Amino acid sequence: YAPHVPADQGEALMVSFTSVGGWLGSRISIKVAGGRWSRDVSLANSKPKCISLLHPDRGVVHELVVTTVRCPGSFKRTSVVNLLPRFVLVNLTDTALVVAQDKSPEQDWIVLPRRAPPTLAPRVEETEEQIVWHWPRARLKRRMVLRVKEADGRHWEASAPFRIGGARDSVETGSGR
């Protein structure tokens, strides 16, 4: 196991704002270092958009969500663009879980620690651990499996593979640039 260490996320993201019809910054493209630019995404409305980025050397698929929020009042011409991970895994059970992409090798499995025990006065450091999830193997289907990890380190058999995040299951690799 590689506890708490999902697919390598140390890569820098590069962002490019483009203009359409004279409006600077009306579209955005993103890439990881060494990868290709994503398709252009419109920032014109506030509906969240998903962007999938393939890292060609590592075979990791990074999925991000782009949201746009217009500022109020005298800043109404300003938009805040948020780049967020599409998946954040949080274990709210009383049992440690181990998760992976279906058919991944053992070193790709990630431990999701059990939730912090309830106390009368919870401390900040006892909050649930959140792990940003990216698909470690681009060549494999985007399906997750999980299993229970016992306190003595043994684990159960893996679950059946299942999808997370809906029916979107394609990698955006084209760029146009």
Side-chain angles (χ1 to χ4, degrees):
Y1 296 114
H4 317 296
V5 182
D8 186 8
Q9 297 174 32
E11 296 295 325
L13 286 175
M14 292 179 251
V15 179
S16 172
F17 291 98
T18 58
S19 61
V20 174
W23 292 95
L24 180 61
S26 60
R27 302 187 71 74
I28 188 173
S29 291
I30 303 170
K31 76 174 188 170
V32 291
R36 296 180 182 170
W37 286 100
S38 72
R39 62 180 165 77
D40 286 351
V41 173
S42 173
L43 301 174
N45 62 35
S46 59
K47 183 179 176 186
K49 295 131 191 114
C50 180
I51 296 177
S52 295
L53 304 166
L54 173 64
H55 191 292
D57 297 335
R58 298 208 166 129
V60 177
V61 176
H62 299 274
E63 289 190 299
L64 302 173
V65 174
V66 179
T67 63
T68 307
V69 179
R70 289 289 208 154
C71 295
S74 58
F75 297 102
K76 65 184 176 192
R77 292 179 43 197
T78 302
S79 294
V80 176
V81 178
N82 297 295
L83 298 175
L84 308 166
R86 182 170 183 218
F87 301 113
V88 177
L89 306 179
V90 180
N91 182 1
L92 297 178
T93 70
D94 292 327
T95 306
L97 299 175
V98 187
V99 299
Q101 185 174 0
D102 187 31
K103 297 183 175 42
S104 286
E106 196 69 24
Q107 69 263 20
D108 286 354
W109 287 77
I110 301 167
V111 176
L112 282 172
R114 66 188 183 101
R115 71 176 170 186
T119 63
L120 294 176
R123 296 188 304 247
V124 173
E125 61 270 9
E126 290 181 341
T127 59
E128 285 76 24
E129 183 165 349
Q130 301 177 359
I131 296 178
V132 174
W133 176 260
H134 295 294
W135 299 104
R137 308 283 172 172
R139 287 182 163 64
L140 298 176
K141 288 185 178 180
R142 294 189 205 174
R143 306 285 186 273
M144 182 174 277
V145 290
L146 63 87
R147 57 188 181 202
V148 172
K149 182 179 179 188
E150 298 287 350
D152 62 6
R154 292 181 298 143
H155 54 265
W156 295 9
E157 289 295 317
S159 69
F162 56 92
R163 288 182 183 212
I164 60 173
R168 182 175 172 82
D169 202 24
S170 62
V171 178
E172 188 70 46
T173 60
S175 67
R177 288 188 196 193

